[in-house]
């Protein structure tokens, strides 16, 4: 499955992907205005302050939307069909995209509490993609 | 006050599956037809705006077109803003002629997306608009991204699958009156709801077509428009708004830039939504059109669906909308898709929309949306 569109980390995003590989969801926080930020950038998109810092996220949030995909973007995703893509608003504020796993994927609802976990590292850059499971999953 | 730009030529090619077509061939055919419509020669054109292509992509598509067509205009540029490109090219052309930089600007787009690419390749290329690190790895497609908008919008405003289906049915009702449309067989709400899921809650008939086709406009300075063949159509107001590119970074999942873009265009034209006689609004998916109708101010939140079910978007309704059949039933061939809406608005305002004419249409509204409701451009057009 190496032909999936694996992320290629860059200077902005490497700390995020390093965190995922270590089992830790990381977000940026602006040292000037305090805004939490995702996706990562070289500056704060709120106050335009330079060099936001990194912190460990609670990795908890709520589903703000979801879709079960039946027509994949490319044949490499066919084996996963149908799969659920969700937008999760983290407790810190930013929104991330993940696939839903386990029970929460069966009948997801907007507002469901979830926590972020990680797939085993895979692909040419050893990427551990984040996913979401029910907040009370074992 | 600036004398407003005039659309003096508007045309499109055959659409749907056009055997033997090429991307640049469609550009040239649409451009020639728009020049004939305007009563102008290629040498009259001193500005060219192009868009982008999937089948013949190039870093400098306007230069590629000018070389192919055999003109050397004083000004040319290519613009890329997804589905908003058609309206943005028209807005930019208006700015060029109003600023005195050009007299007659040609706006042209086309692609043979259906015959020149496999369906799988077209879907894969479109999915590239997702964020390469934070969206695409999760298997998103454009329908999935709009499915996420649909789910959130249904949750917040009570829109239903029937309300969305009404948008597709309306498009097909209009297309049935248009002999050029790619899909003309009438459909019902039940047909839409019985079609297979693509990305829930969106089904196959909630989605736009993939087509071959090209379209072009000639936008002229007010004084130059006197030399042209037909009644000019004035560009009374234009507006734009961009709030994000990727859905993960959108300020909201239910409120988008179409509101501000339209408000700017209405303000510059000095008219209100209720003054509009006919609307041609970007409809890549049923949810796209529903959100835009309610955000732009044509309907209150939660009302566009029920109104469409009652015929409000049909001829004789409160707001005849997408009278050519739109992207879901007329055709969608890349940036030309958004230009088809502009071409149809011109035809309606000239009284040329045989078999589907909105009676005495004097004011038209056109809207384009690029990305995931990311980039918006609105035009208010009027009979001179
Ligand atoms: Zn800041």
């Amino acid at each position: 499955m190496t032909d999936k569109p694996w992320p290629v980390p860059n200077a902005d995003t490497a700390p995020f992907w390093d965190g995922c590989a270590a089992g830790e969801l990381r977000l940026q926080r602006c040292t000037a205005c305090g805004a939490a930020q995702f996706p990562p950038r070289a500056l704060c998109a709120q106050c335009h302050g330079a060099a936001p810092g990194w912190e460990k996220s609670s990795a908890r949030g709520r589903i703000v939307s979801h879709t079960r995909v039946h027509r994949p973007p490319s044949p490499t995703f066919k084996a996963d069909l149908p799969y659920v893509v969700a937008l999760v608003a983290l407790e810190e504020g930013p929104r991330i995209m993940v696939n839903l796993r386990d029970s929460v994927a069966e009948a997801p609802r907007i507002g469901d509490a979830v926590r972020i976990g990680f797939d085993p590292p895979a692909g040419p850059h050893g990427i551990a993609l984040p996913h979401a499971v029910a907040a009370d999953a074992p | 006050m600036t004398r407003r730009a005039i659309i003096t030529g508007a045309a499109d090619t055959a659409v749907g599956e056009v055997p033997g077509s090429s991307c640049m061939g469609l550009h040239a055919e649409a451009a020639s037809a728009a020049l004939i419509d305007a009563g102008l020669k290629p040498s009259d054109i001193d500005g060219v705006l192009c868009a982008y292509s999937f089948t013949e992509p190039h870093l400098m598509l306007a230069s590629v077109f000018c070389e192919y067509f055999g003109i050397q205009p004083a000004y040319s540029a290519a613009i890329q803003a997804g589905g908003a490109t058609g309206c943005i090219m028209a807005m930019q052309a208006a700015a060029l002629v109003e600023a005195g930089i050009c007299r007659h600007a040609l706006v042209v787009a086309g692609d043979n997306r259906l015959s020149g690419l496999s369906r799988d390749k077209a879907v894969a290329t479109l999915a590239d608009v997702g964020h390469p690190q934070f969206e695409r790895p999760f298997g998103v497609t454009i329908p999935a991204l709009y499915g996420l908008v649909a789910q959130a919008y249904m949750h917040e405003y009570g829109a239903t699958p029937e309300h969305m289906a009404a948008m597709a049915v309306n498009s097909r009702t209009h297309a049935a009156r248009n002999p050029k449309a790619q899909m003309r067989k009438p459909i019902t709400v039940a047909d839409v709801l019985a079609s297979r899921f693509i990305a829930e809650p969106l089904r196959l008939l909630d989605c736009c077509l993939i087509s071959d086709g090209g379209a072009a406009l000639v936008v002229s300075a007010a004084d130059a428009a006197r030399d042209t063949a037909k009644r000019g159509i004035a560009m009374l107001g234009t507006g734009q708004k961009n709030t994000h590119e990727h859905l993960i970074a959108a300020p909201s999942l239910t409120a988008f830039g179409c509101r501000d873009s339209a408000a700017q265009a209405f303000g510059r034209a000095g008219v209100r939504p209720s003054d509009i006689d006919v609307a041609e609004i970007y409809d890549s998916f049923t949810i796209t059109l529903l959100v835009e109708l309610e955000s732009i101010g044509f309907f209150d939140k939660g009302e566009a669906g029920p109104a469409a079910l009652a015929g409000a978007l049909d001829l004789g309704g409160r707001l005849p909308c997408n009278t050519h059949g739109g992207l879901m039933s007329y055709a969608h061939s890349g940036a030309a898709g958004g230009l088809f809406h502009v071409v149809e608005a011109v035809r309606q305002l000239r009284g040329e929309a045989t078999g589907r004419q909105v009676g005495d249409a004097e004011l038209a509204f056109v809207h384009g949306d690029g990305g995931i409701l990311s980039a918006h451009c609105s035009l208010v057009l009027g009979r001179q």
Side-chain angles (χ1 to χ4, degrees):
Chain A
M1 301 302 267
T2 51
D3 54 343
K4 280 196 173 178
W6 290 107
V8 179
N10 62 23
D12 293 338
T13 66
F16 176 85
W17 293 117
D18 289 347
C20 292
E24 184 176 304
L25 188 71
R26 292 179 188 163
L27 293 176
Q28 286 182 313
R29 191 174 292 280
C30 176
T31 52
C33 77
Q37 170 167 284
F38 185 85
R41 303 164 170 100
L43 81 174
C44 168
Q46 292 297 315
C47 75
H48 310 291
W54 286 92
E55 67 177 31
K56 185 178 172 184
S57 158
S58 67
R60 292 184 175 271
R62 291 188 181 274
I63 294 174
V64 290
S65 197
H66 55 85
T67 178
R68 192 178 306 274
V69 178
H70 297 262
R71 173 75 163 88
S74 59
T76 182
F77 285 97
K78 267 187 185 150
D80 304 332
L81 288 176
Y83 52 89
V84 180
V85 174
L87 291 168
V88 171
L90 297 167
E91 284 178 352
E92 293 85 358
R95 185 190 300 141
I96 68 167
M97 181 177 285
V98 286
N99 293 125
L100 298 184
R101 294 282 156 74
D102 304 333
S103 63
V104 75
E106 287 162 20
R109 288 166 309 176
I110 290 174
D112 282 354
V114 294
R115 66 179 164 79
I116 304 301
F118 300 92
D119 295 348
H125 301 278
I127 293 291
L129 286 179
H131 60 245
V133 297
D136 56 4
Chain B
M1 190 175 130
T2 312
R3 301 189 60 204
R4 275 155 172 155
I6 308 294
I7 299 178
T8 52
D12 59 2
T13 67
V15 299
E17 186 168 5
V18 184
S21 63
S22 70
C23 168
M24 276 302 136
L26 290 164
H27 275 74
E29 185 187 339
S32 295
L35 284 168
I36 290 168
D37 191 57
L40 295 171
K41 306 181 298 294
S43 57
D44 293 324
I45 294 299
D46 55 4
V48 169
L49 293 168
C50 290
Y52 51 88
S53 166
F54 283 7
T55 59
E56 297 178 31
H58 195 282
L59 283 174
M60 301 170 63
L61 203 69
S63 298
V64 171
F65 166 76
C66 291
E67 174 188 285
Y68 185 99
F69 195 56
I71 55 175
Q72 297 172 356
Y75 178 99
S76 72
I79 292 176
Q80 290 183 274
T85 308
C87 285
I88 292 178
M89 288 194 292
M91 180 174 178
Q92 184 66 21
L96 288 168
V97 299
E98 286 172 2
I101 294 169
C102 300
R103 279 173 64 76
H104 297 292
L106 175 69
V107 166
V108 58
D111 223 353
N112 55 334
R113 258 187 205 191
L114 181 57
S115 63
L117 287 180
S118 70
R119 189 167 297 267
D120 281 349
K121 177 68 177 151
V123 169
T125 305
L126 285 163
D128 287 350
V129 305
H131 194 293
Q133 295 192 50
F134 302 116
E135 293 183 339
R136 291 181 55 208
F138 306 101
V140 292
T141 55
I142 301 272
L145 291 162
Y146 275 90
L148 290 166
V149 171
Q151 198 72 254
Y153 204 82
M154 289 165 71
H155 182 78
E156 182 151 348
Y157 293 116
T160 67
E162 289 78 9
H163 295 161
M164 293 192 286
M167 305 293 146
V169 171
N170 172 68
S171 296
R172 195 60 63 86
T173 303
H174 285 298
R177 303 185 186 106
N178 185 351
K180 283 186 71 180
Q182 187 173 345
M183 301 294 280
R184 302 184 64 205
K185 183 172 163 248
I187 55 172
T188 63
V189 168
D191 292 331
V192 180
L193 298 181
S195 63
R196 65 188 167 86
F197 275 127
I198 301 296
E200 296 178 38
L202 300 178
R203 298 173 179 273
L204 180 66
L205 293 178
D206 286 297
C207 302
C208 58
L209 304 169
I210 296 175
S211 321
D212 302 332
L217 305 171
V218 178
V219 178
S220 303
D223 61 324
R226 286 191 218 103
D227 313 333
T228 57
K230 290 185 178 172
R231 174 181 214 161
I233 301 301
M235 296 187 64
L236 300 175
T238 58
Q240 259 198 63
K241 185 75 177 183
N242 302 277
T243 53
H244 61 281
E245 176 55 29
H246 304 104
L247 198 57
I248 49 170
S252 163
L253 296 177
T254 54
F256 298 96
C258 32
R259 185 194 59 188
D260 291 354
S261 164
Q264 202 180 100
F266 286 128
R268 287 176 178 165
V271 304
R272 291 174 303 179
S274 57
D275 297 326
I276 297 296
D277 299 309
V278 57
E280 311 295 348
I281 299 181
Y282 204 77
D283 52 338
S284 50
F285 299 93
T286 52
I287 187 62
T288 318
L289 179 56
L290 191 150
V291 167
E292 288 164 337
L293 286 168
E294 295 184 353
S295 306
I296 289 166
F298 289 119
F299 296 92
D300 288 336
K301 291 291 195 307
E303 286 192 354
L309 286 168
L313 305 181
D314 199 359
L315 295 183
R318 182 169 133 200
L319 184 75
C321 182
N322 294 345
T323 46
H324 56 318
L327 302 173
M328 290 186 280
S329 289
Y330 182 69
H332 190 0
S333 50
L339 275 182
F340 296 148
H341 290 87
V342 188
V343 170
E344 175 67 6
V346 170
R347 288 183 176 143
Q348 287 286 346
L349 293 171
R350 285 176 175 167
E352 293 176 345
T354 310
R356 60 180 193 282
Q357 180 65 46
V358 173
D360 207 29
E362 290 188 11
L363 270 182
F365 176 85
V366 188
H367 188 84
D369 145 46
I372 313 305
L373 293 154
S374 318
H376 296 270
C377 185
S378 311
L379 313 174
V380 175
L381 308 179
R383 259 187 353 209
Q384 262 201 306

